[in-house]
Amino acid sequence: MKSSRRFPILAAVLMAASLSLNVMAQSAAPAAKPATPSAIAQPTVPSPVGGTSGATAEYRLGSGDAIRINVFQNPDLLLETRVSENGTITFPLLGTVRVGGLAVSEAEARIAEGLRKGNFVKQPQVTIVVLKVTGNQASVLGQVNRPGRYPLEVADTRLTDLLSTAGGVTEFGGEQLVLTGTRNGKPYRLEVDLPSLFADNGRSQDVIVQNGDVLWIERYPRFYIYGEVQRPGQMRLERGMTLMQGLAAGGGLTLRGTDRGIRINRKGPDGQVQEIKPGMNEALRDGDVIFVRESLF
């Protein structure tokens, strides 16, 4: 009987010792510090220029834009109008209000402020919906499938977006794009290499198009070949093309042609045409005229 009573007592002693060890371990461990605001990962919002700071730019109203203005719980103030050439609208109770060049939210705030200061509406909630965009436009000219003038329906319309709207470059279009306009009241010009837009570092050249910009796509560079070749005429000059590749584009020499009599007529910087005796690895230039002579033997 004595031995059977000892086992429960021994078990209770061992359990108490285990609990005391756990308490001592917890008191010895340092308390975890709460996460500070700087340590918490914050989400990034893409910016309109391709970075990670700032929010997407908001559309700004322009002359000719058709808009609908609604004041919450005031149906008598509902108005559909167009922004005039000088950037103003005529709003009930307020008269002439300048909204041209303002972001939509800024125009809403300006109208709401006028209603509140005039004691017409105590807490006005103004909403503006752009019905038709005609005030902010850019033109696309040159070698594109649908040249013309296109509205910039969003504030962050990029160069590639505008080119896509115009149907892309035609088969006769070159690889050089020219964007002109004004920035901060000064003339703006940007030459862009089309293939580089789609390279890893080409995002910086895919700039945001602004009102009044003109995008020009030049015809592709070309050279001319005549004489003893299979297909004389005008040829497209590819990037880095050599004389040997140009002859291949012309179908090669005829049976009477010789590569010893090849000449290139090239216009120099002064506008004068010079005759060059080239090697087969001579790099061709835009406007070169290649003449292949007939063999005498």
Side-chain angles (χ1 to χ4, degrees):
M1 296 296 293
K2 291 182 180 182
S3 59
S4 61
R5 292 178 180 177
R6 292 176 181 175
F7 289 107
I9 296 173
L10 182 59
V13 172
L14 292 175
M15 184 177 297
S18 177
L19 291 174
S20 62
L21 289 175
N22 289 336
V23 171
M24 293 175 62
Q26 292 178 0
S27 61
K33 295 182 179 180
T36 60
S38 60
I40 301 175
Q42 299 293 335
T44 56
V45 180
S47 68
V49 294
T52 57
S53 61
T56 302
E58 190 177 358
Y59 178 77
R60 293 186 176 274
L61 299 175
S63 301
D65 284 348
I67 59 176
R68 179 190 294 125
I69 306 174
N70 180 49
V71 182
F72 182 64
Q73 291 185 345
N74 289 271
D76 53 325
L77 296 179
L78 177 65
L79 175 67
E80 289 190 6
T81 185
R82 285 184 177 272
V83 182
S84 67
E85 290 296 327
N86 57 4
T88 62
I89 61 170
T90 301
F91 192 77
L93 304 177
L94 299 182
T96 302
V97 180
R98 180 171 296 277
V99 297
L102 297 180
V104 173
S105 61
E106 294 173 345
E108 292 171 344
R110 176 166 294 186
I111 295 174
E113 182 182 7
L115 293 174
R116 184 170 52 253
K117 286 186 175 180
N119 294 322
F120 302 117
V121 182
K122 290 185 178 181
Q123 295 181 346
Q125 299 180 19
V126 180
T127 303
I128 296 179
V129 178
V130 181
L131 302 177
K132 186 177 181 181
V133 175
T134 57
N136 293 281
Q137 296 184 343
S139 300
V140 186
L141 305 174
Q143 300 299 322
V144 291
N145 288 297
R146 294 191 299 272
R149 191 169 175 84
Y150 294 94
L152 305 177
E153 298 183 353
V154 293
D156 56 350
T157 299
R158 294 186 177 274
L159 182 61
T160 50
D161 298 327
L162 182 61
L163 187 61
S164 175
T165 304
V169 180
T170 67
E171 59 179 327
F172 304 105
E175 298 178 345
Q176 195 77 8
L177 311 180
V178 180
L179 182 69
T180 58
T182 57
R183 299 292 187 274
N184 300 322
K186 298 181 180 179
Y188 174 80
R189 177 184 173 89
L190 176 66
E191 296 184 4
V192 180
D193 185 63
L194 182 58
S196 68
L197 281 175
F198 305 97
D200 293 338
N201 58 348
R203 181 66 172 173
S204 60
Q205 291 189 331
D206 194 10
V207 297
I208 294 177
V209 181
Q210 296 187 11
N211 180 38
D213 282 354
V214 178
L215 178 62
W216 168 257
I217 295 87
E218 179 64 83
R219 185 179 175 88
Y220 62 75
R222 49 201 180 276
F223 67 96
Y224 306 86
I225 184 170
Y226 71 106
E228 297 299 327
V229 290
Q230 300 289 344
R231 295 192 300 272
Q234 175 183 289
M235 304 290 171
R236 183 182 183 117
L237 179 61
E238 303 292 346
R239 184 169 301 186
M241 198 175 218
T242 63
L243 174 60
M244 182 180 295
Q245 294 170 329
L247 294 174
L253 306 183
T254 64
L255 295 177
R256 294 180 298 178
T258 174
D259 58 1
R260 291 177 296 178
I262 296 178
R263 297 290 184 272
I264 293 180
N265 294 317
R266 177 176 296 168
K267 184 179 292 186
D270 56 355
Q272 300 297 321
V273 177
Q274 303 171 352
E275 186 177 81
I276 301 174
K277 298 179 181 180
M280 283 298 173
N281 292 325
E282 175 77 20
L284 296 179
R285 298 181 185 178
D286 186 19
D288 280 354
V289 180
I290 304 172
F291 174 61
V292 180
R293 298 180 183 271
E294 182 181 0
S295 175
L296 300 178
F297 302 100

